[in-house]
Amino acid sequence: MIDVSNLLQTQKPLPGNYFAYDAYVSGDYEIGLIENRAGARLIAFPKLLLEAMYTALDQEIGQASGLVLYNCGRWWGKNFYRRFAAEIKEYYGKPLAEMEMVEFIECIKQCWKTYGWGVIDIDLSYYQQGYLVIKTTYSPFAQAAPADSNKPMCFAEAGLLSAFFTQVSGKELDCVQTACESMGEESNYFVLGIPERVRKAQAWLTEGQDHQTIMERLCVNQAN
Amino acid sequence: MYTELRELLYDAEEHYLQSQEIDKLRQNVQSLKERLAIYKALRDREREIFQNVANQLEKELNPQEVEQLPKAIRQWATILRYLAMGMLLNSHEFIQRRILEWITPVIEAHSRLSLDRQTYQALKSELKNLFPEKQWQILQPFLLQVEQTMLRSDETK
Amino acid sequence: MYKSLARLSVETDGRYATDNELQFIEDYINSVEKRITTYEKIRDAEPKIIEKVEKQKQEINPELFKLNGRDITGICRRDMIDILRCSAGAMLLNEMDYLRDNMLIWYRTIVQAYQYDRHDDAIYKLLENNTKAYLTPEEAKLMIPILQLDHTLLS
């Protein structure tokens, strides 16, 4: 017989959606601070600041600004992973490595949304070929990007994703953005893979190939 | 509760509440009183409710499903805890955001919808037996919300 | 109540709340009728309360209606009416925290900017006394802590 008393008592409280925004974010009006439920301070970026970052970097360093933002994203992603993993472990009572894949994916989706970074989806269908495809929509980074850019502009997000999934997988991963809302696409696509393979996508992107074509070429290339 | 009280609060900033609005407050507080009683009953009888569900299902399920039963019981106890709070706050949104959004994909991935459906049905009839009709009427819409969100895909199969 | 319920839902995440944690709901249910009569009395007496406060303020120091030589009687009256109404609403719905966060802290910035807070000590004492005059001691017990919060934060 199942002893329910034992079952429910041993591991309570039973966790729900840790990143639900009403539980996750709290603020103190008097001192003007916002923090998350782990007690860590949060910072809110006004859209104007993001826009200014693109403009200022473009004026200061021109072509290199993408790389700078990507590297900022890498740094940010490393710290983000550390916090994310610690908070998850504390709340769900098990380390990320022991979490079911679906639980992990749901956590990252909820977290992404609560942080105001839009909606994220993780596509594992290219996993066998060694690629991970991330789709985001309503990205504030894309929204703040200059409208006349003719290339994907979510460099910071790409850097964040590469560092984050490098930590998750334990393998060095690079990230190439293959579609961007700032160019009128419905979503942003990011392809993650080991650097020498995924970098090929960059050349096809410069040729003007779309996300689907790039994915097909990456997989064909892989098969050869 | 949540939304209604918040609206009254916003209205009270704009103007002094008049008798109709104050009656609305009275109704809300009366409803809160009933909800609180249901909440406490769910809390105090949690183990009994789920022990009955487990006992019944152990008799009905195949051995493979019985093996998964403890996990299912834990997940349904989690859902009922959030449901209880959502019912107390009279907020479907609370239940959606704080548990269903997160747990629905997780449970779907376990591909044990048949077991979940049976657990839910056993839980539902257990609760229906436990509560008098008036209280059941308050609780039922929240169970329906859970059913429609989580077990819908089972129906389409 | 709304803020307290929201806080409860976070603090008891994943478990049932204890009787102790739910006590504030019981207390509210038991006190709501008293809160309603208190609220109605303040609502109905509001014009008289404000009038008396203004009159007594004038008696204490007519300069209180002036800011850098400008007559601010209208502004003072509007603000006092707003503060009393929001305070009564906060008492009715048991929302001290909301009042503090959403009105008083904002309003304090303004009175401090005009350095009017030095006068507020006298004024909020008058508001408290004149409101109390319309309430039974039991009713006053519900309302006075709110007016004292106004007093503390704004002076």
Side-chain angles (χ1 to χ4, degrees):
Chain A
M1 198 184 91
I2 294 173
D3 181 3
V4 166
S5 161
N6 205 17
L7 193 68
L8 298 184
Q9 202 174 22
T10 45
Q11 296 172 51
K12 62 178 179 182
L14 301 166
N17 183 8
Y18 176 73
F19 291 103
Y21 72 85
D22 57 334
Y24 191 74
V25 183
S26 63
D28 187 314
Y29 290 80
E30 192 163 12
I31 37 179
L33 293 179
I34 47 172
E35 60 178 34
N36 68 16
R37 63 194 287 181
R41 292 255 292 269
L42 299 175
I43 179 168
F45 274 36
K47 191 178 171 202
L48 192 65
L49 178 63
L50 284 177
E51 286 169 351
M53 248 150 62
Y54 280 113
T55 316
L57 279 171
D58 187 48
Q59 283 177 9
E60 290 290 327
I61 49 174
Q63 284 285 312
S65 64
L67 185 64
V68 168
L69 280 171
Y70 186 84
N71 284 331
C72 288
R74 293 275 303 179
W75 185 254
W76 176 21
K78 229 184 252 177
N79 290 310
F80 172 62
Y81 172 82
R82 188 173 46 76
R83 292 211 175 109
F84 179 83
E87 285 178 45
I88 294 267
K89 188 180 172 198
E90 170 74 22
Y91 182 76
Y92 290 102
K94 53 186 168 190
L96 268 189
E98 284 172 28
M99 259 191 151
E100 292 174 37
M101 182 57 107
V102 58
E103 286 179 319
F104 165 70
I105 290 178
E106 281 315 307
C107 282
I108 186 85
K109 278 174 150 180
Q110 293 292 333
C111 177
W112 204 265
K113 193 162 69 171
T114 288
Y115 273 99
W117 301 339
V119 176
I120 191 169
D121 262 314
I122 300 174
D123 180 358
L124 297 170
S125 49
Y126 297 96
Y127 187 74
Q128 288 302 324
Q129 284 85 12
Y131 301 108
L132 190 63
V133 174
I134 312 273
K135 178 174 118 174
T136 69
T137 26
Y138 310 114
S139 161
F141 304 99
Q143 275 169 31
D148 56 354
S149 49
N150 53 0
K151 57 180 179 190
M153 291 300 283
C154 307
F155 307 105
E157 238 169 321
L160 172 108
L161 289 168
S162 76
F164 184 83
F165 284 99
T166 291
Q167 303 276 336
V168 172
S169 64
K171 278 184 219 145
E172 186 60 34
L173 298 178
D174 237 357
C175 177
V176 174
Q177 187 184 4
T178 50
C180 188
E181 286 171 307
S182 71
M183 296 165 72
E185 303 282 347
E186 274 180 25
S187 306
N188 309 292
Y189 281 100
F190 300 88
V191 184
L192 287 135
I194 57 170
E196 55 269 32
R197 278 195 221 153
V198 84
R199 272 175 202 157
K200 290 177 191 155
Q202 197 65 56
W204 296 323
L205 194 67
T206 321
E207 279 175 23
Q209 304 299 339
D210 67 2
H211 169 71
Q212 203 47 49
T213 312
I214 292 172
M215 281 323 295
E216 280 162 19
R217 288 194 182 178
L218 280 172
C219 293
V220 170
N221 221 262
Q222 173 69 16
N224 292 338
Chain B
M1 187 52 46
Y2 228 44
T3 333
E4 293 89 337
L5 286 178
R6 197 173 45 195
E7 275 169 16
L8 280 170
L9 182 66
Y10 293 161
D11 289 344
E13 284 188 325
E14 293 295 317
H15 59 259
Y16 275 102
L17 301 181
Q18 301 302 313
S19 55
Q20 226 179 347
E21 291 163 307
I22 288 180
D23 281 345
K24 215 194 288 175
L25 172 64
R26 280 203 178 91
Q27 285 161 18
N28 272 305
V29 174
Q30 184 53 38
S31 158
L32 182 61
K33 192 174 172 180
E34 284 155 13
R35 288 165 196 280
L36 185 61
I38 302 172
Y39 182 86
K40 286 187 174 178
L42 285 171
R43 178 193 66 187
D44 296 342
R45 306 182 80 155
E46 182 187 37
R47 285 176 209 177
E48 179 193 334
I49 292 167
F50 281 100
Q51 190 65 61
N52 290 347
V53 169
N55 293 351
Q56 190 200 323
L57 289 174
E58 264 184 315
K59 281 186 246 158
E60 293 170 6
L61 298 172
N62 64 45
Q64 218 177 357
E65 287 174 319
V66 169
E67 215 171 282
Q68 292 181 306
L69 190 55
K71 199 161 187 194
I73 294 279
R74 264 176 59 84
Q75 275 173 339
W76 281 95
T78 310
I79 293 165
L80 190 61
R81 286 181 186 186
Y82 283 94
L83 184 148
M85 181 51 80
M87 180 275 310
L88 180 67
L89 305 170
N90 195 18
S91 171
H92 288 280
E93 197 194 333
F94 174 89
I95 300 174
Q96 186 61 33
R97 189 170 53 229
R98 294 281 288 273
I99 188 70
L100 294 183
E101 247 181 57
W102 189 80
I103 211 169
T104 305
V106 173
I107 286 190
E108 270 171 9
H110 290 157
S111 359
R112 34 150 240 236
L113 268 166
S114 147
L115 171 61
D116 282 312
R117 179 150 276 275
Q118 289 180 77
T119 312
Y120 170 76
Q121 288 303 341
L123 175 64
K124 188 169 136 184
S125 60
E126 189 63 29
L127 293 172
K128 195 167 185 336
N129 287 337
L130 183 68
F131 288 104
E133 185 58 24
K134 198 179 167 202
Q135 292 189 321
W136 171 246
Q137 287 306 328
I138 294 177
L139 190 58
Q140 194 191 20
F142 297 98
L143 282 164
L144 201 64
Q145 178 193 3
V146 170
E147 182 180 336
Q148 284 173 347
T149 312
M150 289 184 51
L151 305 171
R152 201 181 31 199
S153 48
D154 192 35
E155 283 163 6
T156 54
K157 273 180 193 164
Chain C
M1 282 304 281
Y2 145 69
K3 272 218 167 183
S4 309
L5 288 169
R7 195 181 303 128
L8 175 77
S9 82
V10 175
E11 281 171 359
T12 64
D13 185 55
R15 62 178 174 84
Y16 284 105
T18 63
D19 277 344
N20 214 3
E21 288 167 321
L22 296 169
Q23 191 57 44
F24 78 97
I25 303 180
E26 302 268 9
D27 292 344
Y28 185 70
I29 292 169
N30 294 331
S31 67
V32 75
E33 279 306 323
K34 181 124 292 172
R35 288 177 193 273
I36 290 172
T37 53
T38 311
Y39 183 80
E40 286 171 337
K41 282 186 185 175
I42 296 170
R43 179 190 66 193
D44 299 341
E46 182 233 272
K48 286 183 216 147
I49 296 172
I50 300 295
E51 193 189 309
K52 282 184 188 161
V53 172
E54 281 187 340
K55 200 165 156 245
Q56 290 161 13
K57 203 168 132 184
Q58 183 77 31
E59 283 161 13
I60 298 176
N61 180 1
E63 290 302 306
L64 289 180
F65 288 107
K66 287 200 182 113
L67 187 68
N68 304 329
R70 190 162 69 103
D71 180 25
I72 53 163
T73 313
I75 296 172
C76 287
R77 182 181 304 141
R78 180 201 65 196
D79 289 354
M80 179 129 316
I81 289 173
D82 285 349
I83 295 265
L84 182 61
R85 187 182 59 243
C86 290
S87 301
M91 180 278 303
L92 178 68
L93 297 157
N94 199 19
E95 295 288 356
M96 277 245 260
D97 289 350
Y98 178 86
L99 179 75
R100 176 179 170 278
D101 290 346
N102 292 57
M103 174 157 200
L104 298 177
I105 287 173
W106 165 77
Y107 189 60
R108 182 173 64 178
T109 315
I110 296 171
V111 292
Q112 284 178 346
Y114 284 104
Q115 296 183 323
Y116 200 74
D117 44 331
R118 62 206 150 98
H119 304 308
D120 276 344
D121 188 41
I123 297 167
Y124 283 94
K125 197 72 207 152
L126 292 178
L127 183 65
E128 186 183 322
N129 288 338
N130 283 296
T131 307
K132 209 156 67 175
Y134 289 90
L135 306 175
T136 67
E138 280 296 301
E139 290 162 349
K141 257 192 221 162
L142 290 171
M143 190 61 194
I144 297 306
I146 314 258
L147 292 174
Q148 281 171 349
L149 178 72
D150 298 345
H151 190 160
T152 316
L153 281 175
L154 300 178
S155 61

